[in-house]
Short mmCIF file of all heavy atoms in Angstrom, two decimals:
data_model
loop_
_atom_site.label_atom_id
_atom_site.label_comp_id
_atom_site.label_asym_id
_atom_site.label_seq_id
_atom_site.Cartn_x
_atom_site.Cartn_y
_atom_site.Cartn_z
N THR A 1 101.26 58.66 65.45
CA THR A 1 100.56 59.92 65.62
C THR A 1 99.87 59.97 66.99
O THR A 1 99.92 61.02 67.68
CB THR A 1 99.47 60.04 64.52
OG1 THR A 1 100.13 60.07 63.27
CG2 THR A 1 98.69 61.35 64.67
N GLU A 2 99.27 58.91 67.41
CA GLU A 2 98.68 58.85 68.76
C GLU A 2 99.74 59.06 69.84
O GLU A 2 99.50 59.83 70.80
CB GLU A 2 98.09 57.45 69.03
CG GLU A 2 96.83 57.14 68.29
CD GLU A 2 96.33 55.73 68.56
OE1 GLU A 2 96.29 55.32 69.72
OE2 GLU A 2 95.97 55.05 67.61
N LEU A 3 100.87 58.49 69.64
CA LEU A 3 102.00 58.62 70.66
C LEU A 3 102.49 60.09 70.72
O LEU A 3 102.65 60.63 71.84
CB LEU A 3 103.14 57.70 70.31
CG LEU A 3 104.33 57.73 71.23
CD1 LEU A 3 103.93 57.37 72.66
CD2 LEU A 3 105.41 56.75 70.71
N ILE A 4 102.60 60.72 69.63
CA ILE A 4 102.98 62.16 69.55
C ILE A 4 102.04 62.99 70.32
O ILE A 4 102.39 63.89 71.11
CB ILE A 4 103.24 62.60 68.09
CG1 ILE A 4 104.43 61.98 67.49
CG2 ILE A 4 103.31 64.11 68.05
CD1 ILE A 4 104.57 62.08 66.00
N ASP A 5 100.70 62.75 70.08
CA ASP A 5 99.70 63.50 70.75
C ASP A 5 99.71 63.27 72.28
O ASP A 5 99.57 64.23 73.06
CB ASP A 5 98.32 63.15 70.21
CG ASP A 5 98.05 63.60 68.80
OD1 ASP A 5 98.87 64.42 68.32
OD2 ASP A 5 97.13 63.03 68.13
N ILE A 6 99.87 62.07 72.69
CA ILE A 6 99.90 61.72 74.11
C ILE A 6 101.14 62.35 74.80
O ILE A 6 101.03 62.84 75.91
CB ILE A 6 99.85 60.12 74.34
CG1 ILE A 6 98.46 59.59 73.96
CG2 ILE A 6 100.26 59.78 75.78
CD1 ILE A 6 97.36 60.13 74.78
N VAL A 7 102.24 62.29 74.14
CA VAL A 7 103.50 62.92 74.69
C VAL A 7 103.25 64.42 74.93
O VAL A 7 103.62 65.01 75.89
CB VAL A 7 104.71 62.66 73.84
CG1 VAL A 7 105.88 63.52 74.21
CG2 VAL A 7 105.13 61.19 73.89
N ALA A 8 102.61 65.09 73.91
CA ALA A 8 102.39 66.51 73.98
C ALA A 8 101.39 66.83 75.13
O ALA A 8 101.51 67.85 75.78
CB ALA A 8 101.83 66.96 72.68
N LYS A 9 100.47 65.96 75.42
CA LYS A 9 99.50 66.10 76.46
C LYS A 9 99.91 65.74 77.82
O LYS A 9 99.74 66.49 78.80
CB LYS A 9 98.22 65.41 76.00
CG LYS A 9 97.05 65.67 76.89
CD LYS A 9 95.74 65.12 76.36
CE LYS A 9 94.54 65.49 77.16
NZ LYS A 9 93.31 64.97 76.61
N TYR A 10 100.61 64.60 77.93
CA TYR A 10 100.93 64.04 79.27
C TYR A 10 102.44 63.98 79.58
O TYR A 10 102.78 63.65 80.73
CB TYR A 10 100.33 62.63 79.39
CG TYR A 10 98.82 62.64 79.33
CD1 TYR A 10 98.24 62.17 78.14
CD2 TYR A 10 98.09 63.00 80.37
CE1 TYR A 10 96.82 62.16 78.09
CE2 TYR A 10 96.68 62.99 80.33
CZ TYR A 10 96.11 62.57 79.13
OH TYR A 10 94.68 62.56 79.05
N GLY A 11 103.25 64.16 78.60
CA GLY A 11 104.72 64.12 78.83
C GLY A 11 105.32 62.75 78.56
O GLY A 11 104.61 61.75 78.32
N MET A 12 106.62 62.71 78.57
CA MET A 12 107.39 61.48 78.22
C MET A 12 107.32 60.35 79.29
O MET A 12 107.41 59.20 78.94
CB MET A 12 108.85 61.81 78.00
CG MET A 12 109.16 62.55 76.75
SD MET A 12 108.92 61.63 75.28
CE MET A 12 110.27 60.46 75.41
N SER A 13 107.09 60.73 80.53
CA SER A 13 107.13 59.69 81.58
C SER A 13 105.69 59.26 82.03
O SER A 13 105.57 58.52 82.98
CB SER A 13 107.88 60.22 82.79
OG SER A 13 107.24 61.38 83.26
N SER A 14 104.67 59.60 81.28
CA SER A 14 103.34 59.25 81.57
C SER A 14 103.16 57.68 81.34
O SER A 14 103.71 57.11 80.41
CB SER A 14 102.40 60.04 80.72
OG SER A 14 101.10 59.40 80.64
N SER A 15 102.28 57.10 82.10
CA SER A 15 101.98 55.67 81.89
C SER A 15 101.26 55.48 80.55
O SER A 15 101.49 54.40 79.94
CB SER A 15 101.16 55.12 83.06
OG SER A 15 99.89 55.79 83.14
N LYS A 16 100.55 56.49 80.13
CA LYS A 16 99.82 56.38 78.82
C LYS A 16 100.83 56.39 77.71
O LYS A 16 100.72 55.68 76.72
CB LYS A 16 98.88 57.54 78.67
CG LYS A 16 97.70 57.47 79.64
CD LYS A 16 96.78 58.68 79.46
CE LYS A 16 95.72 58.62 80.50
NZ LYS A 16 94.48 59.23 80.11
N THR A 17 101.89 57.22 77.87
CA THR A 17 102.95 57.31 76.91
C THR A 17 103.71 55.98 76.76
O THR A 17 103.94 55.46 75.72
CB THR A 17 104.00 58.45 77.22
OG1 THR A 17 103.26 59.66 77.32
CG2 THR A 17 105.05 58.49 76.25
N LEU A 18 104.01 55.41 77.95
CA LEU A 18 104.74 54.15 77.97
C LEU A 18 103.91 53.06 77.28
O LEU A 18 104.45 52.27 76.46
CB LEU A 18 105.03 53.73 79.41
CG LEU A 18 105.72 52.37 79.66
CD1 LEU A 18 107.08 52.36 78.89
CD2 LEU A 18 105.89 52.09 81.08
N LYS A 19 102.64 52.97 77.57
CA LYS A 19 101.75 51.94 76.98
C LYS A 19 101.71 52.09 75.49
O LYS A 19 101.84 51.13 74.73
CB LYS A 19 100.35 52.11 77.55
CG LYS A 19 99.35 51.08 77.02
CD LYS A 19 98.00 51.22 77.65
CE LYS A 19 97.05 50.21 77.19
NZ LYS A 19 96.57 50.33 75.80
N LEU A 20 101.53 53.29 74.99
CA LEU A 20 101.50 53.53 73.50
C LEU A 20 102.83 53.21 72.90
O LEU A 20 102.93 52.70 71.78
CB LEU A 20 101.09 54.95 73.15
CG LEU A 20 99.54 55.16 73.16
CD1 LEU A 20 99.29 56.61 72.95
CD2 LEU A 20 98.86 54.32 72.15
N SER A 21 103.92 53.55 73.59
CA SER A 21 105.29 53.32 73.08
C SER A 21 105.54 51.80 72.90
O SER A 21 106.04 51.33 71.93
CB SER A 21 106.28 53.90 74.04
OG SER A 21 107.61 53.61 73.54
N GLN A 22 105.03 51.03 73.85
CA GLN A 22 105.15 49.60 73.82
C GLN A 22 104.35 49.00 72.65
O GLN A 22 104.76 48.04 71.97
CB GLN A 22 104.75 48.96 75.21
CG GLN A 22 105.76 49.26 76.26
CD GLN A 22 105.29 48.82 77.60
OE1 GLN A 22 104.09 48.74 77.89
NE2 GLN A 22 106.24 48.57 78.48
N GLU A 23 103.09 49.57 72.51
CA GLU A 23 102.30 49.11 71.41
C GLU A 23 102.95 49.42 70.01
O GLU A 23 102.93 48.55 69.13
CB GLU A 23 100.91 49.78 71.46
CG GLU A 23 100.08 49.32 72.67
CD GLU A 23 98.81 50.13 72.80
OE1 GLU A 23 98.47 50.97 71.89
OE2 GLU A 23 98.10 49.90 73.86
N LEU A 24 103.60 50.54 69.91
CA LEU A 24 104.28 50.93 68.68
C LEU A 24 105.50 49.97 68.47
O LEU A 24 105.69 49.50 67.37
CB LEU A 24 104.73 52.35 68.75
CG LEU A 24 105.53 52.85 67.53
CD1 LEU A 24 104.76 52.71 66.21
CD2 LEU A 24 105.94 54.33 67.75
N ASP A 25 106.22 49.68 69.52
CA ASP A 25 107.29 48.74 69.45
C ASP A 25 106.87 47.37 68.93
O ASP A 25 107.52 46.75 68.10
CB ASP A 25 107.98 48.53 70.81
CG ASP A 25 108.81 49.70 71.20
OD1 ASP A 25 109.17 50.56 70.41
OD2 ASP A 25 109.21 49.81 72.43
N THR A 26 105.72 46.91 69.45
CA THR A 26 105.18 45.62 69.03
C THR A 26 104.88 45.64 67.47
O THR A 26 105.25 44.69 66.77
CB THR A 26 103.90 45.23 69.76
OG1 THR A 26 104.31 45.16 71.18
CG2 THR A 26 103.29 43.97 69.34
N LEU A 27 104.24 46.68 67.01
CA LEU A 27 103.92 46.85 65.58
C LEU A 27 105.20 46.92 64.74
O LEU A 27 105.31 46.22 63.68
CB LEU A 27 103.09 48.10 65.37
CG LEU A 27 101.65 48.05 65.90
CD1 LEU A 27 100.99 49.41 65.71
CD2 LEU A 27 100.84 47.01 65.16
N LEU A 28 106.19 47.63 65.27
CA LEU A 28 107.45 47.72 64.51
C LEU A 28 108.20 46.36 64.46
O LEU A 28 108.76 46.04 63.38
CB LEU A 28 108.36 48.80 65.11
CG LEU A 28 107.93 50.24 64.93
CD1 LEU A 28 108.73 51.16 65.85
CD2 LEU A 28 108.00 50.64 63.46
N ASN A 29 108.10 45.62 65.52
CA ASN A 29 108.69 44.28 65.55
C ASN A 29 107.97 43.37 64.53
O ASN A 29 108.65 42.60 63.84
CB ASN A 29 108.72 43.69 66.94
CG ASN A 29 109.71 44.32 67.81
OD1 ASN A 29 110.75 44.83 67.39
ND2 ASN A 29 109.42 44.35 69.11
N LYS A 30 106.69 43.44 64.48
CA LYS A 30 105.90 42.61 63.52
C LYS A 30 106.31 43.02 62.10
O LYS A 30 106.50 42.13 61.23
CB LYS A 30 104.41 42.85 63.69
CG LYS A 30 103.91 42.13 64.95
CD LYS A 30 102.39 42.35 65.04
CE LYS A 30 101.88 41.75 66.39
NZ LYS A 30 100.45 41.94 66.59
N TYR A 31 106.44 44.29 61.82
CA TYR A 31 106.80 44.77 60.50
C TYR A 31 108.18 44.28 60.15
O TYR A 31 108.44 43.79 59.06
CB TYR A 31 106.74 46.31 60.43
CG TYR A 31 107.17 46.85 59.14
CD1 TYR A 31 106.26 46.90 58.04
CD2 TYR A 31 108.43 47.40 58.92
CE1 TYR A 31 106.69 47.43 56.87
CE2 TYR A 31 108.81 47.95 57.71
CZ TYR A 31 107.89 47.95 56.66
OH TYR A 31 108.31 48.46 55.45
#
């Protein structure tokens, strides 16, 4: 949800988007 909000606000190539995407990847890998 955070990632969707950040993409809507800053776009796909934002450093904030990249950071959240990596955090999501880490959680998905743990799962």
Side-chain angles (χ1 to χ4, degrees):
T1 300
E2 288 178 44
L3 181 57
I4 290 167
D5 292 342
I6 290 296
V7 168
K9 189 171 184 178
Y10 298 104
M12 288 292 290
S13 58
S14 162
S15 61
K16 293 178 186 210
T17 300
L18 178 61
K19 182 179 182 289
L20 278 175
S21 178
Q22 290 171 336
E23 291 173 7
L24 179 57
D25 285 345
T26 298
L27 290 171
L28 290 168
N29 286 334
K30 286 179 183 180
Y31 179 79

